[in-house]
């Protein structure tokens, strides 16, 4: 489902300004697999996710999603690719003038769902993350952790083939973190391929997926303890 072949990402070209964010990464995430990318702040996790979504292009190497090289796609191809992705970005935003429910339905309508189907799927996703009672709240009326869960529900509601999540338990209390990790595990069991990036070892252990350790843009050998 997802494959990286010798991927490197370099920022800056001037003397002294060259930063190697990712260095020669090669790995594969198989269909329905849950893989956990673990590393400290600055390790390159968010950069890697942006390469997968096509927001950035690798300096060297190839990123393939379902056999298609992402960097070879034009604007229309990237739009088609992203329709099959569920994306929970660390800096994700909600529409300020729409309710929690409205933030989900607007995305589903854009993807072609009818009005009733969009509402049903959006509400089901909010209930799944524990926010059914807050469906009519505006973003500014929600706590930071609740807004984070709305973003997760938005990603889930699209029923993606591949879910990419950057720090999914950030700003959540321990109880809700456990709920979210359980939900992510169940998604993989139901057929969704998942790549989860986190700096929290406890989150990685709770997810119970295959661990990929990223440090200073380089992958450590698999099997190293979290």
């Amino acid at each position: 489902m997802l494959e990286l072949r010798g991927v490197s990402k370099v920022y800056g070209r001037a003397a002294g300004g060259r930063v190697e964010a990712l260095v020669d990464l090669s790995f594969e995430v198989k269909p329905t697999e849950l893989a956990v990318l673990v590393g400290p702040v600055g390790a390159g996790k968010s950069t890697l996710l942006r390469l997968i979504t096509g927001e950035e292009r690798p300096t060297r190497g190839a990123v393939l999603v379902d056999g298609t090289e992402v960097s070879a796609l034009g604007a229309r191809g990237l739009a088609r690719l992203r329709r099959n992705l569920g994306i929970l970005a660390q800096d994700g935003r909600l529409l300020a003038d729409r309710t929690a429910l409205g933030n989900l339905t607007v995305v589903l309508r854009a993807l072609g769902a009818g009005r009733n189907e969009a509402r049903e799927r959006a509400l089901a996703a909010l209930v799944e993350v524990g926010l059914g009672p807050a469906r009519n709240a505006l973003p500014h009326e929600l706590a930071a952790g609740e807004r984070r869960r709305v973003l997760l529900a938005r990603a889930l509601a699209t029923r993606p083939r591949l879910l990419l999540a950057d720090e999914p338990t950030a700003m959540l209390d321990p109880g809700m973190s456990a709920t979210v990790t359980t939900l992510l595990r169940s998604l993989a069991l139901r057929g969704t391929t998942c790549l989860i990036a986190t700096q929290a070892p406890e989150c990685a252990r709770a997810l119970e997926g295959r661990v990929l350790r990223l440090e200073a843009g380089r992958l450590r050998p698999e099997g190293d303890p979290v």
Side-chain angles (χ1 to χ4, degrees), residues 5-113:
R5 300 176 180 171
V7 169
S8 295
K9 179 64 179 179
V10 178
Y11 294 102
R13 298 292 182 182
R18 180 183 172 90
V19 176
E20 291 185 302
L22 298 171
V23 183
D24 195 27
L25 302 188
S26 295
F27 66 86
E28 182 178 0
V29 181
K30 300 181 185 300
T32 76
E33 183 179 16
L34 192 159
V36 188
L37 188 67
V38 183
V41 174
K45 303 185 299 298
S46 297
T47 298
L48 175 54
L49 295 182
R50 289 194 296 270
L51 295 182
I52 296 170
T53 61
E55 296 171 72
E56 298 192 34
R57 294 175 181 264
T59 306
R60 293 182 297 277
V63 178
L64 294 93
V65 175
D66 212 12
T68 299
E69 186 172 352
V70 176
S71 62
L73 297 173
R76 290 185 179 179
L78 284 173
R80 287 193 296 271
L81 168 75
R82 290 168 184 161
R83 282 198 290 269
N84 290 315
L85 299 180
I87 303 169
L88 176 59
Q90 195 168 2
D91 58 352
R93 297 288 185 270
L94 296 171
L95 298 173
D97 60 344
R98 292 182 182 265
T99 64
L101 185 64
N103 265 278
L104 274 63
T105 56
V106 69
V107 171
L108 294 172
R109 292 301 303 277
L111 293 175

Side-chain angles (χ1 to χ4, degrees), residues 158-177:
T158 63
R159 297 175 182 170
R161 295 187 61 199
L162 172 62
L163 176 70
L164 306 172
D166 196 356
E167 303 292 354
T169 59
M171 298 181 291
L172 300 181
D173 61 47
M176 187 49 61
S177 293

Side-chain angles (χ1 to χ4, degrees), residues 110-190:
L111 293 175
R115 185 183 302 276
N116 290 338
E117 180 191 358
R119 181 178 173 81
E120 289 174 5
R121 285 170 55 182
L123 184 54
L126 288 170
V127 169
E128 200 163 17
V129 300
L131 285 178
R135 61 185 178 274
N136 293 322
L138 292 168
H140 76 269
E141 297 172 324
L142 299 170
E146 290 174 323
R147 291 194 294 271
R148 189 74 177 154
R149 281 188 278 156
V150 174
L151 291 168
L152 176 58
R154 188 173 66 183
L156 300 179
T158 63
R159 297 175 182 170
R161 295 187 61 199
L162 172 62
L163 176 70
L164 306 172
D166 196 356
E167 303 292 354
T169 59
M171 298 181 291
L172 300 181
D173 61 47
M176 187 49 61
S177 293
T179 298
V180 168
T181 54
T182 298
L183 174 59
L184 292 171
R185 289 200 309 268
S186 70
L187 279 176
L189 291 173
R190 287 171 1 213

